[in-house]
Amino acid sequence: MGKVNGVRFVQSLFVYSSILGVMCFASCSDQEDPEQVGKTGTSSYEVSLNATIGNSAVAPYNKAVTRVGVAENETHGLKTTWESDDKLTVAYKSGSMLKTTELTVASMNGNSATFRGSVESSADAQAFKTSTLYVVNNKSTDKIDASVENNKLKVSVDLSGQNGNASKIADYDLLYATGKASSSLHFTHQMSVMRLDFTTDATASLGSSISDLSLVYIPSTSTVNSIFAKSASFEFGGEGTTSTYDGITFFTLSGLSIPVSDNKAKAYAVIPANGKLTGELSISVKGTSGNQFHRDINLKGKSFPAQEVVAKTIGLK
């Protein structure tokens, strides 16, 4: 009897040990899983900033800011607003390295908006909050490209593919701000806009819309500067801002359908900001009526400052 009890005790001990071993194995497996996830997964830390752009209500008619989110206002020029698909590329210094993150609209009210995004580490989040930020707008188009090179935020604006309509200006209108995330950042426009106001009399109708518009700028003296450009490039960083552009002589608006009302039409071209230019501006226009027009205009010391719309009335005969 004692032997039987002894055997049963050994058998029970063996089964208990086996069960304990399985439990320990399961417990160890449970402990290893989070560690593996921690190695392969990434955490994100939310960051945000408030942004404003100039109020166009105080801008004179022909010197309006150029952020076109809504229809033209004849009294105050072009309205300046944020749009729901706007994005910001933000450069911040984490340690000795300049990094970037992308923020999207969380809320907006006209020329004011809050943008939110994320960074990869708590150190980056702290750097975002405390370092000087260099910020540009970056809509969901391929016209504005921003990246970090040599610890500077480098931005290029592709000025091709413009169709002359006011609603497309925002695709090319580079906005820039610098400052701290703890205060609202104030954005200024880095590009200029040329507006051509076309008029005709009843004997020379444009038809229902302008279907073709070509512009040629011929400077009076040899110069690398031009009204028009293929692209404009900017560098933002601790040393300040620098800008250059790839000037061109011929500028053609594509895919045109600029509406004509009462033999009047307005065409817009986003151009790089520059100082005084003197030369000849040659303009060729064709409307859906089939009529073609050509005008040559002398420009004497004409400036195209950033953040302004420079208007010129062109009488077509």
Side-chain angles (χ1 to χ4, degrees), residues 2-296:
K3 279 186 177 182
V4 172
N5 290 335
V7 170
R8 287 179 177 174
F9 174 77
V10 171
Q11 290 175 339
S12 299
L13 183 62
F14 176 77
V15 171
Y16 175 77
S17 299
S18 299
I19 293 173
L20 184 63
V22 171
M23 291 176 64
C24 288
F25 177 78
S27 176
C28 290
S29 298
D30 288 344
Q31 289 176 355
E32 287 174 359
D33 285 343
E35 188 175 341
Q36 291 174 352
V37 170
K39 289 179 181 179
T40 59
T42 57
S43 300
S44 61
Y45 296 80
E46 185 177 288
V47 292
S48 66
L49 59 80
N50 296 318
T52 61
I53 27 184
N55 185 359
S56 62
V58 298
Y61 172 69
N62 66 339
K63 293 185 178 180
V65 288
T66 61
R67 182 69 177 167
V68 184
V70 292
E72 183 181 0
N73 180 299
E74 292 293 345
T75 303
H76 301 302
L78 301 173
K79 291 185 178 179
T80 299
T81 63
W82 291 109
E83 295 176 335
S84 59
D85 63 342
D86 276 325
K87 299 178 181 179
L88 298 179
T89 297
V90 183
Y92 62 96
K93 203 161 192 179
S94 184
S96 60
M97 185 181 299
L98 197 67
K99 297 183 176 182
T100 62
T101 187
E102 188 175 270
L103 276 58
T104 56
V105 173
S107 63
M108 61 181 182
N109 181 20
N111 67 330
S112 299
T114 297
F115 289 80
R116 288 199 178 96
S118 62
V119 293
E120 294 182 353
S121 69
S122 58
D124 285 347
Q126 184 63 21
F128 185 98
K129 293 177 181 178
T130 58
S131 70
T132 299
L133 306 180
Y134 307 99
V135 192
V136 293
N137 64 312
N138 199 348
K139 287 174 66 70
S140 54
T141 69
D142 59 354
K143 296 304 179 184
I144 298 176
D145 180 70
S147 61
V148 169
E149 187 177 332
N150 296 326
N151 255 4
K152 293 180 179 179
L153 179 62
K154 294 198 172 185
V155 184
S156 63
V157 182
D158 178 2
L159 295 168
S160 65
Q162 297 188 51
N163 65 10
N165 288 296
S167 60
K168 297 297 290 181
I169 291 176
D171 291 350
Y172 305 87
D173 179 30
L174 179 66
L175 297 166
Y176 171 68
T178 183
K180 304 282 188 176
S182 56
S183 60
S184 182
L185 270 64
H186 183 79
F187 283 77
T188 56
H189 306 262
Q190 304 300 298
M191 309 298 291
S192 180
V193 169
M194 181 174 69
R195 189 184 78 214
L196 299 177
D197 297 348
F198 294 109
T199 64
T200 67
D201 56 31
T203 63
S205 172
L206 279 166
S208 60
S209 65
I210 293 175
S211 57
D212 186 69
L213 174 58
S214 297
L215 305 166
V216 180
Y217 173 67
I218 304 170
S220 58
T221 58
S222 178
T223 177
V224 295
N225 293 327
S226 174
I227 295 176
F228 310 111
K230 289 182 181 179
S231 62
S233 302
F234 301 82
E235 288 188 359
F236 304 106
E239 296 80 16
T241 301
T242 60
S243 63
T244 58
Y245 64 91
D246 183 10
I248 55 176
T249 301
F250 300 91
F251 191 78
T252 301
L253 299 174
S254 59
L256 261 66
S257 182
I258 300 171
V260 175
S261 177
D262 296 327
N263 288 328
K264 296 179 180 179
K266 298 180 188 293
Y268 300 83
V270 181
I271 58 178
N274 51 47
K276 294 180 179 180
L277 297 175
T278 299
E280 186 175 85
L281 179 62
S282 182
I283 303 168
S284 297
V285 183
K286 182 179 179 181
T288 53
S289 64
N291 292 328
Q292 297 189 40
F293 305 87
H294 185 86
R295 282 289 306 275
D296 292 329

